[in-house]
Amino acid sequence: MAVADARTGSGDPPKVSLLYNPALRSYVYQAATLILIVWVIWYAWSNAAQNLARANMTTGFGFLNSRAGFDIAQSLIAYSADSTYFRALQVSLVNTLVVAACGIVTATIVGLLIGIGRLSPNWLVSRLCTVYVEIFRNIPPLLVIFFWYLGVLALLPSIRSIFQHVKDNPNAVFFISNRGIYMPAPIFGEGFGYVIAAFGVGVVAAIAYTAWANARQRATGQRPPVLNVNLALVLLLPLVVFALLGRPLSFDYPIPGSFNMRGGMVVAPEFLALYLALSLYTAAFIAEIVRAGIRGVPQGQSEASYALGLRAGLATRLVVLPQALRIIIPPLTSQYLNLIKNSSLAVAVGYADLVAVGGTILNQSGHSVEIIAIWMMVYVTISLVTSLFMNWFNAKMALVER
Amino acid sequence: MTEISFVRDRFLTAEKPPVSESTALGWIHRNLFASWTDGALTLIAIAAIVYFLPPAIDWLFLSAVWSGPDRSVCLTVDQGGLLPSGWSGACWAYVNDRFIQFMFGSYPRDQLWRPLLVVAMFVALLIPMLLPKVPRKGLNAILLLIAFPIVAYVLLLGGYFGLSHVETPLWGGLMVTLILSFVGIAISLPAGILLALGRRSKMPIVRTFAITFIELIRGVPLITVLFMASVLLPLFLQPGNNIDKFLRALIGVSIFASAYMAEVIRGGLQAIPKGQYEAADALGLNYFQKMTFVVLPQAIKLVIPGIVNTFIGMFKDTSLVTIISMYDLLGIVKASFGDSGWITPVTPLTGLIFAGFVFWLFCFGMSRYSAFVERRLDTSHTR
């Protein structure tokens, strides 16, 4: 009875002091946080306004339309010193994306090879891969960039010795010097667009053919030859079109100028140093992720697939790898993001990436708040897009459970 | 009666183990030449080692110059030095000559006992902290994270107790790298805990703030955060302020580290079973008691390896202050390449290899420690 009495009681909730009311407390804490944040922002803003007024500075993004006045060594889109700051930022964004994309591809391939190598039954190979990982994981990426830039690429032959080399071998078209790697630049003649179109058609046809082959295998149990047909579609078709059109492609060869090589295509040492450092540094981390992913698939899975009669290669491709990928993709995403963010180290060697060009504009125009806001916006956007893509890929790969 | 039973009256002599199991030849067969592809890989690896290792050893040690007063000992005859033409090797004489500068920057040479004393105190406090068997971890942590920074601050900067004032622009080298990463970790731990709790809070304003802060900082490179600290901070403070450059870098590094630390700690908080939270509620503990006495001790213990990894990352990342022209280990090594006393073609490579080795030593040590803690904390059943 006493229990029932206590439960039904008088019907009122027990009297609690307002001080201990969780809902009220929550409001008070949040209000305090809000006031603190607003106060910090207001304090910073009013000081910034005063400081800017003292320095006779205006705020706003209008300055982006004024003339930049500096040159950018590597620009993949049209740019000159007369272009606007906005154009300079576009050029630098393209440069950032180019080095990040090249780095991601190379780091993934190297990391995959090293990661698999660490699991190899071959004692020597696995030790060498371990040494690689332990060296690169424990050194700052900036130091690796300097190592390539100042320690290795700066020691390559000087441009003068290249001139001598050209005199001795007039037919040489490919030069490695401390000012970069010179190679012939392709000049696309009339009608080259058809070759590209043929390549596109080939890729689409290959995808369609693979889908048909898969459907046929499911229906009849026999697999039509896929690899050879696809290779023919993707490579042979554009080549045939290329030959039929009378080979509309010529090359612009680098030749010695007065101070430097002229013509051709040059890969600058700044790009090379950054690209090599980013790829090799990130590859060490990717190798660890790949190793953990493959070891995360139970031994029984590969044993079961051997028992079902699959060969080692097929077992890896159809059974082990899809399961390992589920473990690999999430940490791989964060490594890709790290690589993109580390590409900002370009500023240390003068590769014209977003931070380097932004820094130049910041020094020239003094619009520090705007430039840093642009940096944050662009990097956060790149990070978000990359994570969205990788999340989509992850969802595609994830275990579909009942 | 014929004897049909057979009774063994002595043991057969034991067979030798098969060749493939016992001898070096067998080991080589199993581990290096198990199949044709394996053998090919081994040969490629041996070729690579033979191609790269002897020249590397020769460059680093045999041909290297170990001592000398100036750059002439590391230059060939054609370059105006003493060595035969065609020579190339490490110039350790240069590292030898600049060693104190690489460690302490331009810290006054007659005051070097101060940073050395700080290092001694740090080691004396850190080692018992790292050894799991040594008792009184709480006291140790308070000494290391609260008392030590104050003493170190007074000792290094001076200005009190008759110590001469040493301005931060004179600081440099490994000392700066260590200070930046230590302060970064000491601030990011509590700040990271607060941010992680904020992110898991049920209060929308607090949660939104924590998420925005963490994701914004984690989404951008450290360089932009450092630029922000070095360019925007003076702008956002009282007009006419003259905030120390070193302090700005410290703030930048701490902000950056806090966001990463928050995510590590959030991982630990998520791994604590719900029952622990509920049990603490049932005992009548309020939020702060629940967190300090029940949840956080377990959560932090779980993520010690993650914390150490964040620390390794930060230790490497402090080298980025080079870009905002501060002289940490990498910065001072790089600055010394332009030093007219030691300009030679091999100086940059030698200096970078030295700096890389120092960084590697610290990071490798930390990662080994992290692996050791991970094994100790690992309670899973392994066969």
Side-chain angles (χ1 to χ4, degrees):
Chain A
M1 276 305 124
V3 174
D5 283 344
R7 203 177 282 159
T8 48
S10 54
D12 291 336
K15 283 260 189 261
V16 179
S17 151
L18 214 52
L19 197 63
Y20 294 111
N21 183 333
L24 185 76
R25 279 189 153 200
S26 152
Y27 283 122
V28 170
Y29 289 140
Q30 294 191 65
T33 317
L34 198 63
I35 290 171
L36 190 71
I37 296 170
V38 169
W39 179 78
V40 166
I41 292 176
W42 174 83
Y43 176 79
W45 195 255
S46 62
N47 279 332
Q50 275 188 49
N51 282 323
L52 289 172
R54 275 187 170 194
N56 276 330
M57 289 281 311
T58 51
T59 48
F61 290 93
F63 73 100
L64 287 176
N65 289 322
S66 40
R67 181 176 176 275
F70 56 86
D71 277 313
I72 295 180
Q74 283 220 323
S75 50
L76 292 175
I77 52 179
Y79 175 83
S80 74
D82 288 325
S83 307
T84 59
Y85 282 137
F86 187 61
R87 187 67 179 173
L89 284 174
Q90 286 176 331
V91 171
S92 68
L93 177 61
V94 171
N95 280 346
T96 292
L97 292 178
V98 165
V99 78
C102 293
I104 283 178
V105 171
T106 316
T108 310
I109 295 170
V110 175
L112 195 67
L113 291 178
I114 302 271
I116 293 172
R118 274 197 84 176
L119 291 173
S120 158
N122 189 319
W123 182 85
L124 197 60
V125 170
S126 74
R127 281 313 119 100
L128 279 182
C129 293
T130 309
V131 168
Y132 175 90
V133 168
E134 290 298 350
I135 286 180
F136 276 95
R137 240 179 10 155
N138 292 315
I139 291 181
L142 186 61
L143 197 142
V144 185
I145 294 177
F146 284 144
F147 176 82
W148 285 109
Y149 190 63
L150 300 171
V152 178
L153 297 176
L155 299 184
L156 290 175
S158 68
I159 206 81
R160 211 181 294 163
S161 65
I162 296 289
F163 285 177
Q164 191 57 43
H165 179 73
V166 175
K167 252 181 222 161
D168 299 343
N169 318 280
N171 287 328
V173 290
F174 189 86
F175 312 103
I176 298 177
S177 80
N178 58 7
R179 291 204 199 153
I181 297 177
Y182 292 90
M183 56 184 118
I187 300 172
F188 302 110
E190 221 169 304
F192 196 80
Y194 291 109
V195 180
I196 295 171
F199 178 74
V201 170
V203 169
V204 172
I207 292 171
Y209 177 74
T210 310
W212 174 79
N214 284 344
R216 191 175 154 82
Q217 186 182 19
R218 247 171 260 133
T220 64
Q222 280 168 347
R223 186 154 180 85
V226 172
L227 187 67
N228 290 340
V229 175
N230 279 351
L231 274 181
L233 280 173
V234 173
L235 292 181
L236 221 54
L237 192 65
L239 276 179
V240 169
V241 174
F242 181 66
L244 283 180
L245 286 170
R247 289 184 277 180
L249 181 68
S250 56
F251 287 99
D252 176 23
Y253 296 101
I255 48 167
S258 41
F259 294 108
N260 215 335
M261 302 294 281
R262 268 187 311 165
M265 207 160 65
V266 58
V267 183
E270 290 83 25
F271 173 83
L272 270 183
L274 184 66
Y275 158 73
L276 285 174
L278 286 180
S279 313
L280 297 182
Y281 176 76
T282 313
F285 288 88
I286 292 181
E288 281 301 272
I289 292 168
V290 168
R291 185 174 78 114
I294 294 177
R295 289 209 14 200
V297 179
Q299 191 79 47
Q301 293 288 326
S302 40
E303 283 165 5
S305 39
Y306 297 148
L308 286 173
L310 292 181
R311 273 177 279 122
L314 274 182
T316 307
R317 195 158 62 86
L318 298 178
V319 178
V320 178
L321 214 53
Q323 300 187 65
L325 269 184
R326 279 178 208 136
I327 308 174
I328 289 172
I329 290 173
L332 192 64
T333 308
S334 61
Q335 282 310 319
Y336 286 172
L337 292 176
N338 277 346
L339 191 146
I340 294 172
K341 284 184 275 172
N342 279 339
S343 74
S344 62
L345 297 178
V347 68
V349 288
Y351 175 71
D353 87 317
L354 196 64
V355 173
V357 170
T360 312
I361 297 176
L362 193 155
N363 285 335
Q364 269 192 14
S365 68
H367 286 270
S368 46
V369 183
E370 293 87 342
I371 291 291
I372 288 176
I374 291 175
W375 278 343
M376 297 200 116
M377 214 176 60
V378 171
Y379 277 109
V380 168
T381 312
I382 296 177
S383 298
L384 279 180
V385 171
T386 314
S387 348
L388 279 181
F389 172 76
M390 292 304 279
N391 284 348
W392 166 81
F393 189 57
N394 192 27
K396 221 170 102 81
M397 283 290 165
L399 191 63
V400 183
E401 286 189 278
R402 281 156 295 168
Chain B
M1 207 165 92
T2 48
E3 184 69 56
I4 54 162
S5 68
F6 171 77
V7 176
R8 182 189 289 280
D9 54 5
R10 61 168 190 267
F11 286 108
L12 290 175
T13 49
E15 290 271 359
K16 274 187 193 158
V19 180
S20 64
E21 287 302 317
S22 61
T23 60
L25 214 62
W27 184 91
I28 288 175
H29 180 251
R30 262 179 297 126
N31 289 302
L32 297 178
F33 294 96
S35 66
W36 282 108
T37 44
D38 226 16
L41 276 178
T42 305
L43 289 181
I44 293 172
I46 290 176
I49 291 174
V50 168
Y51 186 78
F52 286 112
L53 201 58
I57 289 176
D58 179 58
W59 197 91
L60 285 174
F61 303 109
L62 303 180
S63 296
V65 176
W66 294 89
S67 59
D70 62 8
R71 69 194 191 124
S72 64
V73 293
C74 296
L75 287 173
T76 61
V77 175
D78 340 338
Q79 295 158 342
L82 307 168
L83 293 160
S85 73
W87 172 88
S88 182
C91 184
W92 298 122
Y94 141 75
V95 173
N96 221 343
D97 190 46
R98 294 270 166 250
F99 189 75
I100 300 216
Q101 198 188 7
F102 289 171
M103 294 297 116
F104 303 105
S106 314
Y107 207 89
R109 294 293 181 262
D110 55 340
Q111 300 289 327
L112 281 188
W113 61 272
R114 281 153 61 174
L116 284 173
L117 185 63
V118 169
V119 169
M121 281 194 309
F122 180 61
V123 171
L125 285 172
L126 186 68
I127 288 181
M129 192 75 205
L130 295 184
L131 295 176
K133 277 188 188 149
V134 180
R136 291 182 183 269
K137 284 275 182 283
L139 178 70
N140 202 334
I142 290 172
L143 281 177
L144 184 66
L145 292 175
I146 297 170
F148 169 72
I150 298 171
V151 177
Y153 173 82
V154 171
L155 263 177
L156 290 176
L157 199 64
Y160 307 95
F161 309 117
L163 290 169
S164 61
H165 182 67
V166 181
E167 289 164 345
T168 52
L170 294 176
W171 300 12
L174 185 61
M175 189 177 106
V176 162
T177 301
L178 289 175
I179 294 175
L180 279 175
S181 30
F182 178 80
V183 173
I185 202 89
I187 292 180
S188 70
L189 256 180
I193 290 175
L194 284 183
L195 282 169
L197 290 177
R199 191 166 182 169
R200 284 174 59 79
S201 154
K202 288 191 186 69
M203 297 183 264
I205 292 179
V206 175
R207 194 175 58 228
T208 316
F209 170 72
I211 292 179
T212 315
F213 180 87
I214 294 173
E215 293 304 330
L216 199 64
I217 298 295
R218 273 163 43 93
V220 301
L222 174 56
I223 299 224
T224 57
V225 179
L226 283 176
F227 267 116
M228 206 163 76
S230 79
V231 179
L232 291 193
L233 215 53
L235 197 65
F236 286 156
L237 293 178
Q238 293 272 317
N241 68 77
N242 190 13
I243 176 169
D244 190 69
K245 210 167 146 195
F246 191 76
L247 185 62
R248 291 185 224 166
L250 273 182
I251 293 174
V253 168
S254 306
I255 288 178
F256 192 73
S258 302
Y260 280 82
M261 196 60 88
E263 285 301 273
V264 172
I265 291 178
R266 187 166 72 109
L269 289 176
Q270 278 176 343
I272 304 299
K274 210 162 187 259
Q276 296 287 330
Y277 292 86
E278 288 166 354
D281 286 338
L283 285 174
L285 302 182
N286 67 26
Y287 180 80
F288 291 100
Q289 292 168 329
K290 177 169 75 176
M291 285 302 161
T292 32
F293 297 125
V294 179
V295 178
L296 278 175
Q298 302 183 63
I300 291 181
K301 202 172 158 189
L302 270 182
V303 293
I304 287 178
I307 292 176
V308 178
N309 283 340
T310 313
F311 191 52
I312 296 176
M314 261 182 49
F315 187 79
K316 287 187 291 182
D317 281 346
T318 53
S319 61
L320 266 61
V321 297
T322 309
I323 293 171
I324 56 166
S325 54
M326 277 190 36
Y327 297 106
D328 76 317
L329 176 61
L330 185 56
I332 208 148
V333 167
K334 187 168 173 271
S336 73
F337 298 161
D339 179 348
S340 59
W342 284 104
I343 293 183
T344 73
V346 291
T347 303
L349 204 52
T350 311
L352 288 174
I353 288 175
F354 170 73
F357 180 68
V358 174
F359 273 111
W360 184 84
L361 218 57
F362 276 89
C363 294
F364 187 70
M366 284 189 269
S367 75
R368 289 293 94 186
Y369 179 74
S370 157
F372 157 75
V373 175
E374 217 164 327
R375 270 200 308 280
R376 237 181 74 85
L377 295 177
D378 186 10
T379 47
S380 67
H381 302 281
T382 44
R383 272 167 287 179

